[in-house]
Amino acid sequence: MKLENCSFSGYKIYPSRGRVFIRGDSKTFRFLSSKTNSLFDQAKNPRKIAWTRLYRKAHRKGIKEEASKKRTRRAVKYNRAVVGVSWEAINARRNEKTDVRAAARAEAVTKAKAKRKEEAAKKKAERANAPNTAQKISKQQARGASMKPKPTSR
C-alpha cells in the first residue's frame, strides 16, 4: 500500500482517495480533497492556512518541548598566564590599589626620562670629542652637484 502526500496540506493520501492535477509543464500535484485542490487553484499560501502541515512547521506547533529547546554551550573562561608573566603576577597587578599603581607609573616615567637625558648627554659628548675630518659641503654638493672652480683672477 503506497501512501502519497498532499501537495498543499502535507497530509497522507491513502489509496483510492484524493485527486491528481498535472500542470502544463508535466509536474503532478496530488490533493487530499476538493478543499485542498480549491485552495491550490486560488493560489493560497499553505504557510498562511492554520491547519496545514507547512503552517504548523513554520509556526512551531506541536513540537515536543525537549526537542524544540536547544542547549546552548557556554564558553568556559580560563585564567591563564601570558608568555613571560605568571598568573600570580597578573592577579597581584589586578588587585593593586590605584594609588600604588599611579606611584609605580610615575616612578617608571621618571626613570625613562633620566635614561633619555643620559643618552642625549652621551651623544653630545661623543659629537664634541670626535674630530671634524669631513669637509663642509652644501646640500647641493652632497646631492652630487659639481663644485665651481675657484677663480684665479678678477
Side-chain angles (χ1 to χ4, degrees), residues 51-64:
W51 53 268
T52 62
R53 283 258 173 96
L54 287 169
Y55 176 91
R56 294 182 70 76
K57 189 174 183 185
H59 294 84
R60 300 178 180 229
K61 304 290 181 185
I63 299 170
K64 290 183 181 174

Side-chain angles (χ1 to χ4, degrees), residues 63-80:
I63 299 170
K64 290 183 181 174
E65 286 183 39
E66 295 87 40
S68 66
K69 288 183 182 176
K70 286 187 178 179
R71 289 183 185 166
T72 54
R73 292 189 66 168
R74 299 274 170 161
V76 180
K77 289 186 178 178
Y78 291 104
N79 296 325
R80 291 188 291 187

